[in-house]
Amino acid sequence: MPESGQPTKQGSKDHISAGPAASLRRASLLVTLVLGGLTALPPLSMDMYLPALPEVTESLRSPAATVQLTLTACLAGMALGQLVVGPMSDKWGRRRPLLIGMLVYVAATAVCAFAPTVDLLIAFRLLQGLAGAAGIVIARAVVRDLYDGVAMARFFSTLMLISGVAPIIAPLIGGQILRITDWRGVFHVLAVIGVLLTLVVWKWLAETLPPERRHQGGVGEALRTMRGLLADRVFTGYVLAGGLGFAALFAYISASPFVVQEIYGASPQTFSLLFGLNSIGLVAVGQINGKLLVGRVSLDKALGWGLGVIVLAAVALLFMTSGVFGEPSLAAVAAGLFVLMSAMGLVLPNTNAQALMRTPHAAGSASALLGTSSFLIGAIASPLVGIAGEATAVPMAVVQLVCAVGALACFLGLCRPWRTPESA
């Protein structure tokens, strides 16, 4: 294994240069748009639906905690699906598993649009997540096939610009859809997006993993590969830090519709605007990371700064929501959430890059572990934010603080950045 933060020795150009991979890099803008679309699918699937949660609660006559399980099911599906699709892509290449996953995603989304009960909606949101996992895990694996070192870190930050547009526009689109139709229309739109993205992948995304670099073993070898990856303490540290950081973000995603609309009485459109502002902060900091910090400041330092800011923002939110500073206004809570979300622009791309730098031999499996940890921990955190009902935001702040402190502890305790050359 290479040391943390050290690129594998692929030559002076800092990336692989052979066959289809080289051609795809020459068409880098097109590749960025395609991979950005794939990584945008999860926030589209979840965030476009967020303004409709209160309406789903009323339409299906289910409690809010049960309706929030539709988010949890989708997230859990994306977590578990990556464990399957990642090793499959190491064995059969990237294109075939991706196209199959996209077709199943479209079918599951169409069924969600007609679900008559919350139980059926939860079931097909789970299938939607399982299939949608293909886009997430394979997009990261393709980046690892094409790039390494600083180039990979910069590409992940660029992807954040593309995929980050999704959480900005998704609630806005969802809010506008609710003006002309009900919550089922959201799933109709998602199905159409899935069809278009499938066609784009089929036409423009070439295979990036040549046959000679594929794993030929079955399930046993896949499990041994993942066990070997997790035995790497530093890799596991980045996986857990990224997963817990994402859980803090998802606690916000899951709770914010009820916090903003039910506690503060804001409209779905106001919620969508606030959500979009927070996403702009995340994208902007991600671009600062990729354009200004990468290559000048060590990835571990940038990651440490991001985790520290998230912890401070979570502490402030807990003080505000628990009434330490009196009754907080929506503007004050929104400001704390904005800082927390923006700092994710330092955490998410750098944990991905640092972990994948250590795993050139199994990018699909490593990408699966990265994604599964994030979505599984997020799925666990999601229902906890509503444990005290819809009248308080304290559980959201508590979950965010616990996750943020846990992420920082894993980074410091397992990655030990002060001991690596990259953090010098």
Side-chain angles (χ1 to χ4, degrees), residues 4-6 152 235 238 298-300 303 349-359 420 422:
S4 171
Q6 295 303 302
M152 180 169 58
F235 172 80
Y238 289 123
S298 75
L299 301 185
D300 277 339
L303 174 55
N350 290 329
T351 50
N352 284 338
Q354 290 288 66
L356 289 173
M357 279 184 200
R358 302 180 65 83
T359 58
T420 65
E422 201 271 345

Coordinates of all heavy atoms in Angstrom, one line a residue, residues 4-6 152 235 238 298-300 303 349-359 420 422:
S4 N -0.3 7.2 3.0 CA -1.5 8.1 2.8 C -1.1 9.4 2.1 O -0.1 10.0 2.5 CB -2.1 8.4 4.2 OG -3.1 9.4 4.1
G5 N -1.9 9.7 1.1 CA -1.7 11.0 0.4 C -0.6 10.9 -0.7 O -0.4 11.8 -1.4
Q6 N 0.0 9.7 -0.8 CA 1.0 9.6 -1.9 C 0.5 8.9 -3.1 O -0.1 7.8 -3.0 CB 2.2 8.8 -1.3 CG 3.0 9.4 -0.2 CD 3.5 10.8 -0.6 OE1 4.2 10.9 -1.5 NE2 3.0 11.8 0.1
M152 N -6.6 13.5 -9.4 CA -7.8 12.8 -9.0 C -8.5 13.7 -8.0 O -9.8 13.9 -8.0 CB -7.5 11.5 -8.4 CG -8.7 10.7 -7.9 SD -8.5 9.0 -7.4 CE -7.2 9.1 -6.2
F235 N -6.9 3.6 5.3 CA -8.0 3.6 4.4 C -9.3 3.5 5.2 O -10.3 4.3 4.9 CB -7.9 2.3 3.5 CG -9.2 2.1 2.7 CD1 -9.4 2.8 1.5 CD2 -10.1 1.2 3.1 CE1 -10.5 2.6 0.8 CE2 -11.3 0.9 2.3 CZ -11.5 1.6 1.2
Y238 N -10.2 6.9 6.6 CA -10.9 7.8 5.7 C -12.3 7.4 5.4 O -13.2 8.3 5.2 CB -10.1 7.9 4.4 CG -8.7 8.6 4.5 CD1 -7.5 8.0 4.2 CD2 -8.7 9.9 5.0 CE1 -6.3 8.7 4.3 CE2 -7.5 10.6 5.1 CZ -6.3 10.0 4.8 OH -5.1 10.6 4.9
S298 N -1.9 20.5 1.9 CA -2.1 19.0 2.0 C -3.5 18.7 2.1 O -4.3 19.4 2.7 CB -1.3 18.4 3.1 OG -1.9 18.6 4.3
L299 N -3.9 17.5 1.5 CA -5.3 17.1 1.5 C -5.7 16.8 3.0 O -6.9 17.1 3.3 CB -5.5 15.8 0.7 CG -5.1 15.9 -0.8 CD1 -5.5 14.6 -1.5 CD2 -5.8 17.1 -1.5
D300 N -4.8 16.3 3.8 CA -5.2 16.0 5.2 C -5.4 17.3 5.9 O -6.3 17.3 6.8 CB -4.0 15.2 5.8 CG -4.2 13.7 5.6 OD1 -5.3 13.3 5.2 OD2 -3.2 13.0 5.7
L303 N -8.8 18.6 4.9 CA -9.8 17.7 5.5 C -10.0 18.0 7.0 O -11.1 18.0 7.5 CB -9.4 16.2 5.3 CG -10.2 15.1 5.9 CD1 -11.7 15.3 5.5 CD2 -9.7 13.8 5.5
P349 N -14.8 15.5 -1.0 CA -13.8 15.2 -2.0 C -12.5 14.7 -1.5 O -11.9 13.8 -2.1 CB -13.6 16.5 -2.8 CG -14.0 17.6 -1.9 CD -15.1 16.9 -1.0
N350 N -12.0 15.2 -0.4 CA -10.7 14.8 0.1 C -10.7 13.4 0.8 O -9.7 12.7 0.7 CB -10.2 15.9 1.1 CG -9.8 17.2 0.4 OD1 -9.4 17.1 -0.7 ND2 -10.0 18.3 1.1
T351 N -11.8 13.0 1.4 CA -11.8 11.7 2.0 C -11.9 10.7 0.8 O -11.2 9.6 0.8 CB -13.1 11.4 2.9 OG1 -14.2 11.9 2.2 CG2 -12.9 12.1 4.2
N352 N -12.7 11.0 -0.2 CA -12.7 10.1 -1.4 C -11.3 9.9 -2.0 O -10.9 8.8 -2.4 CB -13.7 10.6 -2.4 CG -15.1 10.3 -2.0 OD1 -15.4 9.4 -1.3 ND2 -16.0 11.1 -2.6
A353 N -10.7 11.1 -2.3 CA -9.4 11.0 -3.0 C -8.3 10.3 -2.1 O -7.6 9.5 -2.6 CB -8.9 12.5 -3.3
Q354 N -8.2 10.6 -0.9 CA -7.2 10.0 0.0 C -7.5 8.5 0.1 O -6.5 7.7 0.1 CB -7.3 10.6 1.4 CG -6.8 12.0 1.5 CD -5.3 12.1 1.3 OE1 -4.7 11.8 0.3 NE2 -4.6 12.5 2.4
A355 N -8.7 8.0 0.2 CA -9.0 6.6 0.3 C -8.6 5.9 -1.0 O -8.0 4.8 -1.0 CB -10.4 6.4 0.7
L356 N -9.1 6.5 -2.1 CA -8.9 5.8 -3.4 C -7.4 5.8 -3.9 O -7.0 5.0 -4.7 CB -9.8 6.4 -4.5 CG -11.3 6.1 -4.3 CD1 -12.1 6.9 -5.3 CD2 -11.5 4.6 -4.5
M357 N -6.6 6.8 -3.4 CA -5.2 6.8 -3.7 C -4.5 5.5 -3.2 O -3.5 5.1 -3.8 CB -4.5 8.0 -3.1 CG -4.7 9.3 -3.9 SD -3.7 10.6 -3.2 CE -4.6 12.0 -3.9
R358 N -5.0 4.9 -2.2 CA -4.4 3.8 -1.6 C -4.9 2.5 -2.2 O -4.4 1.4 -1.9 CB -4.7 3.7 -0.1 CG -4.3 5.0 0.7 CD -4.6 4.9 2.1 NE -3.9 3.8 2.8 CZ -2.7 3.9 3.3 NH1 -2.0 5.0 3.2 NH2 -2.1 2.8 3.9
T359 N -5.8 2.5 -3.2 CA -6.4 1.3 -3.7 C -6.5 1.2 -5.2 O -7.6 0.9 -5.7 CB -7.8 1.2 -3.1 OG1 -8.6 2.4 -3.5 CG2 -7.8 1.1 -1.6
T420 N 2.2 11.3 8.4 CA 2.3 11.0 7.0 C 3.1 12.1 6.3 O 3.0 13.3 6.7 CB 1.0 10.8 6.3 OG1 0.3 12.1 6.4 CG2 0.1 9.8 7.0
E422 N 2.4 13.4 3.5 CA 1.5 14.3 2.8 C 1.1 15.4 3.7 O 0.7 16.5 3.2 CB 0.3 13.5 2.3 CG -0.5 14.1 1.2 CD -1.5 15.0 1.7 OE1 -1.9 15.0 2.8 OE2 -2.0 15.8 0.9

